């Protein structure tokens, strides 16, 4: 009670704190105090969070997530009526379309590769050039883009009203007088997307202290990933997605972040690709030009680290990257509202 | 034992048979012997079967249904790679696309309205003109049609092989040396489609003896449906889908069954539309020209029965048709096989 006032008490308090700290650390890592990690993980690696944090102005409710689920699968949000968010971010295919570059309305091919929607909640910025700070802001882009879904916000809202979505918006945004707005379309989609997480990868189990889970080659890959410098950019909960770096190897017309900031120093600067489930999100890079993980690793070594990985090293790195594949949730096809329009 | 040889025995046998027959009938209808049906159902009405029968050469296994589930959602089965069976037969939207006429590759509009995939297992013939006798035969059509998915069988098979489908075909067709064939694509899709049933409608409950389930107006609609002659064609487990009838009201270039048989007497003959879940499968007719159930009922009265239903009658018939909506199953988005192709 008043231990803190006595010198001995203070020492005890400090000691207790140290023990508590150790306790918390070993608890966080779930480490068995007897076995040591065969490879100490990079200090900036993080277990994939069990849940995503909601922004203050978009707190999830079951109704809002349900609405977002419907909207994510809603082809009426595209001019032709056959393209939905799920067309390019296929929930049953690691959240991507496995094309070099996205295809949209009128079979128009977009400028970049579709990034996965899984775990996008943890990205520090959305899109390859990071032009959107939030999932909410991101969701408004593709619906309007000429090469993607090609609708105006007013057209999107009108279609949803005519299709019978009003009761679902009322339930998802119960305090709003006019709940069916384009902003709320984006909020609901973002709320759904915050549920698209893939926990339980071997990598996460390892970070949590199960050191048996990774094989020798996978561990060697992790060590090389850390020692060669990959982890300098690819860290945090997604092993990427939280900083920008120059990647000029591809060149071409896509100048990346410079098109957002207008600053020449951002020429060919892109968001560092997140590596969660990377073994399944091929092809790679902002233009999809690397067909396989082996290709991507080799290019990264040359262009970002100035180092030629030999075949054995590539094999190790790729083996490690396979440990980043988590458990994908089962997503039902939602029931889509439909009403007769006489 | 030898009762049949005695005259009294024969009478007893006949009497027993009659009782057994009554027993079977009341059992089939699940009728409470005390309450009588307020409206006696048409003798050719049938409860939706709880399961579909497999053809001898396509017996369902979990592996085959699972493969069919994947293929049904597989956009690689279309030239552009964005159209799947589910694009026009949306499992989360009563199995249809709610368009007048189907849209396919190159935004080409097909000649007819997409029929629902739900309960299609019980149709006596597939397509509006009945040109396919089975689900297996049907499934091969849209993949090849220029206005739908626009692939050759060889292209479809090659794509599936390159995408990583081989293990799934091996599991679904374990006794075949070369399991990845176009015929097996169709078989697997058909096997999945036989699981797409919607039991439990109010109508089925009524047939099973729960006479409380239908409201007064719904019963009046059923009575009118039977008395006015609708049920002469719309009967059987799907209230339609088991016979062909002339429907020349729409006219135009689509001559229906004549394009299959080449017989002039089949001009403007179409398969009688099945009415299960009809309240949700708008718009109606082979060209989707009736936007609402009210429109469709009015046209049917005029063209098929030579009778103008007044507003009250239309209301009753539509109320009855709403009782034909069953319970839709929850269909997960399948996990789609994807492999890197260097």
């Amino acid at each position: 009670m008043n231990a803190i006032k006595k010198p001995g008490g203070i020492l005890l308090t400090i000691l207790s704190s140290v023990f508590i700290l150790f306790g918390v650390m070993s608890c966080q890592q779930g480490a068995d105090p007897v076995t040591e990690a065969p490879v100490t993980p990079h200090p900036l690696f993080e277990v994939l969070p069990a849940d995503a944090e909601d922004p203050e102005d978009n707190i999830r409710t079951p109704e809002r997530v349900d609405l977002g689920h419907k909207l994510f699968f809603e082809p009426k949000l595209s001019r032709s009526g056959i393209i939905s968010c799920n067309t390019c971010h296929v929930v049953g295919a690691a959240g991507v379309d496995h094309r070099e570059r996205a295809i949209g309305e009128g079979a128009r091919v977009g400028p970049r590769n579709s990034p996965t929607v899984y775990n996008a909640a943890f990205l520090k910025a959305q899109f390859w050039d990071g032009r959107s700070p939030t999932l909410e802001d991101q969701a408004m882009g593709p619906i309007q883009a000429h090469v993607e879904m090609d609708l105006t916000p007013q057209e999107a809202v009108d279609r949803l009203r005519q299709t019978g979505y009003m009761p679902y918006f009322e339930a998802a945004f119960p305090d709003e007088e006019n709940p069916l707005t384009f902003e709320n379309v984006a909020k609901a989609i973002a709320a759904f997307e915050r549920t698209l997480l893939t926990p339980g990868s071997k990598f996460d189990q390892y970070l949590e202290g199960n050191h048996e889970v990774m094989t020798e080659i996978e561990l060697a890959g992790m060590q090389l990933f850390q020692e060669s410098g990959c982890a300098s950019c690819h860290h945090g909960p997604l092993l990427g997605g939280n900083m920008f770096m120059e990647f000029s190897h591809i060149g071409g017309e896509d100048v990346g972040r410079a098109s957002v900031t207008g600053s020449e120093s951002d020429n060919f600067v892109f968001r560092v690709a997140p590596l969660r489930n990377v073994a399944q999100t091929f092809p790679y890079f902002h233009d999809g030009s690397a067909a396989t993980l082996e290709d991507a690793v080799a290019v990264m070594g040359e262009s970002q680290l100035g180092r030629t990985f030999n075949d054995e090293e590539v094999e190790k790195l790729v083996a490690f990257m396979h440990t980043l594949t988590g458990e994908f949730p089962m997503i039902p096809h939602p029931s889509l509202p439909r009403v007769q329009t006489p």
Side-chain angles (χ1 to χ4, degrees), chain A:
Chain A
M1 298 300 171
N2 56 357
I4 217 162
K5 289 186 183 156
K6 296 181 205 164
I10 288 173
L11 183 64
L12 198 69
T13 305
I14 291 169
L15 277 174
S16 306
S17 302
V18 170
F19 277 112
I20 287 167
L21 193 62
F22 268 98
V24 167
M25 284 174 71
S26 63
C27 185
Q28 274 185 333
Q29 310 254 335
D32 181 342
V34 183
T35 71
E36 225 175 283
V39 175
T40 307
H42 191 283
L44 294 179
F45 282 169
E46 288 176 42
V47 173
L48 192 77
D51 199 3
E53 225 172 291
D54 291 329
E56 260 178 48
D57 66 345
N58 193 17
I59 303 298
R60 266 174 287 170
T61 60
E63 291 79 7
R64 201 171 289 190
V65 171
D66 175 65
L67 171 60
H69 183 189
K70 291 180 194 303
L71 294 172
F72 192 86
F73 280 82
E74 184 51 79
K76 286 194 187 286
L77 284 177
S78 63
R79 183 158 304 285
S80 66
I82 62 174
I83 296 172
S84 70
C85 305
N86 190 61
T87 300
C88 293
H89 306 284
V90 186
V91 296
V96 299
D97 57 6
H98 293 99
R99 299 169 174 279
E100 294 183 10
R101 296 184 289 145
I103 189 171
E105 277 302 309
R108 292 186 280 273
V109 176
R112 292 184 185 145
N113 177 265
S114 304
T116 180
V117 70
Y118 281 104
N119 309 308
F122 302 121
L123 293 166
K124 289 273 185 250
Q126 305 293 328
F127 292 117
W128 282 98
D129 55 19
R131 67 184 180 274
S132 274
T134 62
L135 289 175
E136 283 78 1
D137 191 68
Q138 189 280 333
M140 296 196 239
I143 298 173
Q144 299 177 76
H146 180 60
V147 294
E148 298 185 64
M149 299 162 96
D150 194 27
L151 288 188
T152 66
Q154 190 59 50
E155 284 173 324
V157 162
D158 288 346
R159 283 185 179 205
L160 295 174
R161 184 178 295 109
Q162 286 155 14
T163 310
Y165 266 93
M166 188 53 100
Y168 298 94
F169 276 87
E170 286 169 348
F173 301 94
D175 301 329
E176 300 186 21
E177 203 178 326
N178 175 25
L180 210 175
T181 64
F182 193 60
E183 286 67 29
N184 284 350
V185 168
K187 278 187 176 180
I189 292 173
F192 170 64
E193 288 176 334
R194 290 197 175 90
T195 70
L196 297 180
L197 312 181
T198 65
S201 70
K202 285 172 93 172
F203 174 74
D204 286 313
Q205 292 175 54
Y206 185 86
L207 291 189
E208 285 171 330
N210 179 0
H211 299 139
E212 311 299 312
V213 78
M214 276 170 70
T215 65
E216 209 169 310
I217 188 172
E218 289 164 356
L219 282 170
M222 182 163 117
Q223 191 151 24
L224 181 57
F225 187 85
Q226 299 181 165
E227 287 174 3
S228 63
C230 308
S232 304
C233 295
H234 294 282
H235 56 240
L238 301 190
L239 298 94
N242 58 358
M243 55 189 286
F244 295 97
M245 279 301 288
E246 190 182 326
F247 177 46
S248 53
H249 172 82
I250 289 167
E253 286 177 15
D254 190 348
V255 294
R257 194 145 176 80
S259 63
V260 180
T261 62
S263 160
E264 231 176 276
S265 66
D266 283 334
N267 256 351
F268 301 113
V269 167
F270 292 88
R271 188 188 60 191
V272 173
L275 299 186
R276 290 282 178 181
N277 307 304
V278 70
Q280 300 196 10
T281 59
F282 50 88
Y284 305 102
F285 302 150
H286 57 268
D287 66 343
S289 59
T292 68
L293 210 39
E294 285 78 4
D295 295 349
V297 164
V299 168
M300 279 283 118
E302 299 280 358
S303 71
Q304 307 305 102
L305 302 170
R307 169 174 178 164
T308 306
F309 290 122
N310 63 35
D311 287 356
E312 201 191 329
E313 289 171 325
V314 169
E315 199 187 347
K316 285 177 187 170
L317 289 166
V318 168
F320 168 60
M321 284 178 200
H322 275 266
T323 72
L324 305 177
T325 302
E327 289 160 18
F328 289 89
M330 191 281 288
I331 311 290
H333 192 295
S335 170
L336 301 177
R338 294 292 183 261
V339 291
Q340 292 180 5
T341 44

